Amino acid sequence: MADIRNIVVLTGAGISAESGVPTFRGPDGLWEGHRVEDVATPQAYARDPDLVLDFYDQRRAKLHTVEPNPAHDALGRLDAEWPGELLIVTQNVDDLHERGGAKRLLHMHGELKSGWCLACGDRRPFEGKMAERPTCPACGARGHIRPDIVWFGEMPYQMERIEAALSTCDLFVSIGTSGAVYPAAGFVQSARQFGAQTLEMNLDPSEGSFFFHESRMGKAGELVPEWVEGLLSG
Ligand code: BV8
């Protein structure tokens, strides 16, 4: 472990599963109730804004009923105590990493608690229901606020910052993601090309398990605290 200084952690829906937030592709998956094309694309939003806005309004409201789990708390502890570089890149749109204490964090697929006004481009924290067509606090336009979420076919956020971190990391860790969605699913290959060690912690083998030097199968709430303790105790 001595030669590990810079770490990039990628998380997906699996890290929030033990907090009661449904994953996408599991048996009770979010997508089970909906076809992805019907709720997570710009075309879906144009075709049926009420369905899409309600889908995200419901998930935003649920955030008040869930708590961070030991995996979020362990990454918060790592953030506080790790002396080297750390970047936590989450695909998740919930706020559980923040509530678990993570600060060196970015949401590459956006956040449920952020709104984006298409009339003026303003982005800011949002609470409540977009389906009620609220007025934009910045420009006063009504009914143009959409979820500040990266849908399929849209460019994920802060890709340059992510690529820079991957190019200098000594360790890349993937937690709770199926490896089904790009560009996130390709990060492990980039990290390896730059010489990083790669570790996966997941309930089941992901689509990218082959690319990891090490895969630990199990629940994030158990594996992540163990891993952080091991790392911090050197
Ligand atoms: C882009 C926001 C380009 C919405 C999401 C063909 C090949 C390659 C790529 C493509 C292709 N065709 C199309 C593409 C591109 C596309 C893509 O990858 N499609 C896939 C389906 C093939 N990607 C895009 O469109 C991306 N944009 O490419 O832009 C571009 C270029 C120029 C200009 C403009 C654009 C945008 C992708 C982002 C889409 N938005 N989410 C929302 O949240 O509603 S993606 C969605 O899936 C989620 O964000 C999530 O993050 C992501 C991945 O899912 P996971 O997080 O992995 O969740 P999942 O349920 O799948 O898996 C959970 C895992 O956890 C499981 O493995 C399970 O075993 C494990 N688990 C469960 N419980 C536990 C656990 N592990 C540990 N402990 C537990 N307790």
Side-chain angles (χ1 to χ4, degrees):
M1 291 290 186
D3 56 353
I4 291 174
R5 176 170 163 61
N6 302 340
I7 302 174
V8 173
V9 177
L10 172 69
T11 67
I15 200 171
S16 296
E18 289 157 81
S19 297
V21 179
T23 62
F24 289 91
R25 298 167 179 84
D28 62 345
L30 269 171
W31 299 142
E32 292 309 301
H34 296 278
R35 287 177 345 116
V36 175
E37 306 74 39
D38 293 342
V39 288
T41 65
Q43 294 76 13
Y45 175 61
R47 184 174 57 244
D48 191 347
D50 285 317
L51 172 73
V52 172
L53 293 177
D54 182 58
F55 175 64
Y56 288 98
D57 285 348
Q58 287 186 43
R59 287 170 65 189
R60 186 176 311 108
K62 187 167 164 59
L63 289 183
H64 299 290
T65 68
V66 296
E67 297 294 329
N69 67 57
H72 297 108
D73 296 340
L75 290 184
R77 177 189 172 204
L78 181 67
D79 198 323
E81 299 180 25
W82 182 251
E85 296 293 313
L86 172 69
L87 181 62
I88 302 167
V89 180
T90 188
Q91 300 173 90
N92 300 340
V93 294
D94 62 51
D95 61 345
L96 293 174
H97 277 305
E98 291 88 340
R99 290 164 59 194
K103 298 191 176 352
R104 294 183 272 183
L105 168 72
L106 72 83
H107 286 267
M108 67 177 289
H109 290 164
E111 299 173 68
L112 282 170
K113 298 185 81 169
S114 178
W116 176 16
C117 175
L118 293 181
C120 69
D122 180 68
R123 280 183 166 90
R124 69 175 65 197
F126 181 89
E127 279 290 356
K129 294 184 184 305
M130 291 184 184
E132 292 172 356
R133 302 305 196 275
T135 300
C136 171
C139 73
R142 181 172 162 75
H144 293 277
I145 297 177
R146 63 159 273 187
D148 187 10
I149 298 258
V150 177
W151 285 326
F152 287 95
E154 296 184 325
M155 179 59 88
Y157 293 154
Q158 303 194 56
M159 284 302 295
E160 285 179 17
R161 183 176 169 203
I162 296 168
E163 283 153 3
L166 289 171
S167 69
T168 58
C169 76
D170 309 302
L171 177 62
F172 175 78
V173 183
S174 177
I175 303 169
T177 180
S178 60
V181 174
Y182 288 82
F187 290 169
V188 59
Q189 291 162 268
S190 301
R192 280 194 73 136
Q193 279 164 6
F194 288 110
Q197 283 301 308
T198 56
L199 166 64
E200 175 182 54
M201 291 181 270
N202 209 52
L203 195 61
D204 314 300
S206 71
E207 293 186 27
S209 285
F210 166 79
F211 294 110
F212 287 88
H213 293 105
E214 183 187 357
S215 279
R216 297 181 191 172
M217 295 293 113
K219 290 186 173 184
E222 293 159 16
L223 293 178
V224 179
E226 263 173 35
W227 169 67
V228 168
E229 176 55 37
L231 201 60
L232 293 178
S233 58

